C-alpha cells in the first residue's frame, strides 16, 4: 500500500515543530497586516516566529516578534483570519486567532479592543469594503435564495407522499438520545473537526488511539494555559519517531480538541486517575531503564575503545626496524625521536630524525 503523500502545509508544520518543539501552536501567520498563504508561524511563550518552505527538506525564517507584556492593542477577527496590533507589532493569524488572543491576555496580561463593525460589514463579502467583492457577494446570495425557494417548493409538492416518513423522522429515537448523552465510562469517537471539553466530551483522563496506519494531527489547546498544549502525530505504522499509536491525555473543562487529516475515527477511551498515574509511572520506569541501558552501552563502548587504543599503543611501542630500508618499506621513514620504531642506529647524524637521508 502506497504511503499517504505529505502536503506542503503538513511538511512545513512538521519542520517548524522540529525547530520549535516548545511551540504551543503552529498555524498560518505573517508579520504585518497581510496573511501570506505560504507562511506559517511558531507560537511560543516567548514570541511569534514565521517561516516558509523553500524545498522538500528546508524552511527559511521570514520574520519574528517577541511578545510584549501588560500592553493594550486592537484585534480584528475575520472568518478565516485575525489581525493583531499590539505595542507597534502587527501580525496576522489564521482561523485560530481567538486562541492567540486568549493566550496573550492570560499568559502575557495584555488587553485588546475588538474592532467594531456595522451589522452589514459583518456579512461575508462586505467586510473588506471593496465594491467588486460586495457585488459578487450580492449575486451569490441571490442565487442561494433562488435555490432555497426552489428546494422548498419541491418539498411542498412531495409533502403528501412523504407524510409517513416525516412523522417517523420527527421523533428522535431512544438510541440517538442515548448517544448524545455524555457517559464517563463510554469511549468517545470523533471524526476530523473541533470539539470542546465539557460540551462534546467530559473532562478526565483518556487514552487516544486511531486505526490510521499513517500519522495524522491531534492538537489540544488549553483554555487557561495552566497545562502545556498537546501537539502530536497519531498513527499505528508510521516509522517516524514523532508518531505514537496510543497517547495518554488529561482534558480540562474548556479545552479545545482539533483533529485533522485522519482517514479513520479517533477514539478517546476514559481511564481512572489511578490508572493514569500507574501508566505514567510505567512510562517513567521504562524511560529510566532505557536511559540506564543507553548509558551502560556508552560506557561499554568507551571501555572497548580505550582497550583497543591501549592495544594499538602497545603494538606501536614494540615496533623496531633493523635498518632504514626496512623502515621505508613499512612507510615509517623518516621516524622522529619519541615515535614508535625510532632507534639511534637509524639516526647516524644524531639530529633526532632517523632515516632522513
Amino acid at each position: 500500500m502506497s504511503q499517504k503523500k505529505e502536503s506542503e502545509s503538513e511538511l512545513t508544520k512538521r519542520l517548524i515543530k522540529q525547530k520549535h518543539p516548545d511551540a504551543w501552536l503552529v498555524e498560518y501567520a505573517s508579520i504585518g497586516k497581510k496573511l501570506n498563504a505560504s507562511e506559517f508561524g511558531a507560537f511560543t511563550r516567548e514570541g511569534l516566529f514565521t517561516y516558509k518552505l523553500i524545498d522538500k527538506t528546508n524552511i527559511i525564517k521570514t520574520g519574528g516578534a517577541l511578545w510584549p507584556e501588560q500592553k493594550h492593542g486592537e484585534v480584528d477577527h475575520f472568518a478565516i483570519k485575525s489581525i493583531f496590533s499590539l505595542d507597534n507589532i502587527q501580525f496576522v493569524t489564521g482561523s485560530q486567532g481567538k486562541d492567540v488572543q486568549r493566550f496573550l491576555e492570560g499568559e502575557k496580561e495584555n488587553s485588546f479592543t475588538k474592532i467594531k463593525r456595522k451589522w452589514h460589514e459583518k456579512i461575508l463579502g462586505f467586510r473588506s469594503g471593496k465594491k467588486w467583492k460586495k457585488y459578487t457577494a450580492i449575486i451569490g446570495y441571490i442565487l442561494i435564495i433562488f435555490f432555497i425557494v426552489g428546494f422548498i417548493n419541491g418539498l411542498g409538492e412531495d409533502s403528501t407522499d412523504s407524510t409517513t416518513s416525516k412523522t417517523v423522522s420527527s421523533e428522535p429515537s431512544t438510541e440517538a438520545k442515548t448517544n448524545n448523552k455524555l457517559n464517563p465510562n463510554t469511549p468517545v469517537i470523533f471524526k476530523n473537526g473541533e470539539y470542546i471539553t465539557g460540551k462534546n466530551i467530559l473532562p478526565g483522563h483518556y487514552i487516544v488511539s486511531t486505526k490510521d496506519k499513517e500519522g495524522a494531527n491531534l492538537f489540544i489547546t488549553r483554555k487557561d494555559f495552566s497545562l502545556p498544549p498537546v501537539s502530536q502525530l497519531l498513527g499505528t505504522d508510521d516509522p517516524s519517531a514523532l508518531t505514537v499509536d496510543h497517547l495518554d491525555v488529561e482534558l480540562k473543562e474548556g479545552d479545545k480538541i482539533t483533529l485533522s487529516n485522519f482517514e479513520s475515527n479517533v477514539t478517546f477511551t476514559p481511564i481512572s486517575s489511578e490508572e493514569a498515574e500507574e501508566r505514567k509511572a510505567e512510562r517513567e520506569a521504562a524511560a529510566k531503564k532505557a536511559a540506564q541501558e543507553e548509558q551502560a552501552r556508552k560506557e561499554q563502548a568507551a571501555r572497548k575503545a580505550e582497550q583497543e587504543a591501549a592495544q594499538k599503543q602497545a603494538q606501536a611501542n614494540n615496533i623496531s626496524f633493523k635498518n632504514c630500508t626496512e623502515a621505508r618499506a613499512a612507510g615509517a621513514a623518516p621516524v622522529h625521536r619519541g615515535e614508535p620504531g625510532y632507534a639511534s642506529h637509524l639516526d647516524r647524524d644524531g639530529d633526532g630524525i632517523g632515516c632522513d637521508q
Side-chain angles (χ1 to χ4, degrees):
M1 180 180 177
S2 61
Q3 289 191 350
K4 178 181 176 182
K5 186 177 180 181
E6 190 175 34
S7 66
E8 287 191 1
S9 60
E10 291 172 340
L11 173 61
T12 307
K13 287 183 177 181
R14 178 169 61 80
L15 294 175
I16 292 175
K17 192 64 180 177
Q18 291 176 356
K19 188 177 288 291
H20 294 277
D22 59 336
W24 60 269
L25 174 64
V26 177
E27 157 75 318
Y28 284 110
S30 299
I31 301 297
K33 288 187 175 182
K34 186 176 181 181
L35 183 62
N36 189 330
S38 64
E39 284 186 326
F40 287 83
F43 291 83
T44 70
R45 280 178 161 73
E46 291 73 34
L48 167 63
F49 308 95
T50 58
Y51 298 85
K52 66 185 300 184
L53 189 69
I54 57 175
D55 55 44
K56 293 183 178 180
T57 57
N58 294 291
I59 53 176
I60 185 172
K61 186 176 180 181
T62 57
L66 298 179
W67 301 129
E69 296 186 13
Q70 298 180 344
K71 301 293 184 180
H72 182 75
E74 292 183 339
V75 60
D76 195 1
H77 291 301
F78 292 81
I80 59 174
K81 69 177 181 179
S82 296
I83 302 176
F84 288 83
S85 178
L86 179 64
D87 195 32
N88 296 323
I89 299 173
Q90 289 185 330
F91 63 95
V92 190
T93 71
S95 59
Q96 294 183 268
K98 292 183 179 179
D99 292 334
V100 176
Q101 181 181 346
R102 282 196 293 268
F103 166 78
L104 292 174
E105 289 176 338
E107 186 86 2
K108 300 301 179 181
E109 299 182 359
N110 294 301
S111 60
F112 291 91
T113 298
K114 185 177 179 181
I115 296 179
K116 296 183 179 180
R117 302 172 180 273
K118 296 180 181 179
W119 68 269
H120 65 274
E121 293 178 337
K122 297 180 181 180
I123 301 174
L124 190 63
F126 290 77
R127 296 178 174 182
S128 64
K130 295 181 179 179
K131 290 185 177 180
W132 69 270
K133 286 189 176 182
K134 291 181 180 180
Y135 295 148
T136 303
I138 290 172
I139 295 172
Y141 292 139
I142 291 174
L143 293 175
I144 291 172
I145 291 172
F146 277 120
F147 174 79
I148 293 174
V149 171
F151 181 74
I152 293 174
N153 289 336
L155 288 178
E157 292 174 359
D158 297 334
S159 60
T160 303
D161 297 332
S162 60
T163 301
T164 304
S165 62
K166 286 184 179 180
T167 303
V168 173
S169 62
S170 63
E171 292 295 332
S173 66
T174 303
E175 182 181 359
K177 290 181 179 179
T178 304
N179 291 340
N180 289 334
K181 184 177 180 181
L182 298 179
N183 189 327
N185 300 316
T186 302
V188 182
I189 299 176
F190 289 141
K191 296 181 179 180
N192 291 324
E194 294 183 350
Y195 306 92
I196 302 298
T197 305
K199 179 180 179 181
N200 306 112
I201 186 172
L202 291 173
H205 295 273
Y206 293 85
I207 300 175
V208 189
S209 61
T210 180
K211 293 183 179 179
D212 265 24
K213 292 185 177 182
E214 300 171 0
N217 301 310
L218 163 68
F219 190 79
I220 301 176
T221 306
R222 304 298 184 179
K223 182 179 180 181
D224 57 2
F225 298 95
S226 60
L227 292 174
V230 176
S231 180
Q232 183 65 57
L233 289 174
L234 198 65
T236 59
D237 294 346
D238 196 303
S240 171
L242 300 175
T243 304
V244 299
D245 55 356
H246 288 79
L247 180 68
D248 288 30
V249 298
E250 180 183 5
L251 298 179
K252 298 285 188 178
E253 186 77 25
D255 288 353
K256 183 170 76 171
I257 304 167
T258 304
L259 305 174
S260 59
N261 301 318
F262 284 96
E263 295 181 356
S264 302
N265 293 333
V266 179
T267 303
F268 285 69
T269 304
I271 58 175
S272 65
S273 300
E274 293 76 12
E275 186 177 353
E277 289 298 326
E278 291 177 1
R279 290 173 61 86
K280 181 180 179 182
E282 290 174 358
R283 290 195 302 272
E284 291 176 349
K288 183 178 180 180
K289 181 180 179 181
Q292 291 173 344
E293 292 176 348
E294 178 65 15
Q295 181 64 26
R297 186 192 65 77
K298 290 181 179 180
E299 291 176 355
Q300 183 179 2
R303 287 195 296 270
K304 183 178 179 181
E306 291 176 359
Q307 292 173 356
E308 291 177 350
Q311 291 175 356
K312 289 181 180 180
Q313 185 63 39
Q315 293 173 357
N317 291 337
N318 293 330
I319 293 176
S320 62
F321 302 108
K322 292 181 180 180
N323 49 49
C324 287
T325 301
E326 189 174 300
R328 291 189 182 96
V335 57
H336 296 76
R337 183 182 287 117
E339 293 180 347
Y342 175 85
S344 59
H345 69 276
L346 303 177
D347 185 12
R348 295 182 178 180
D349 56 3
D351 62 352
I353 304 175
C355 301
D356 58 336
Q357 296 179 357

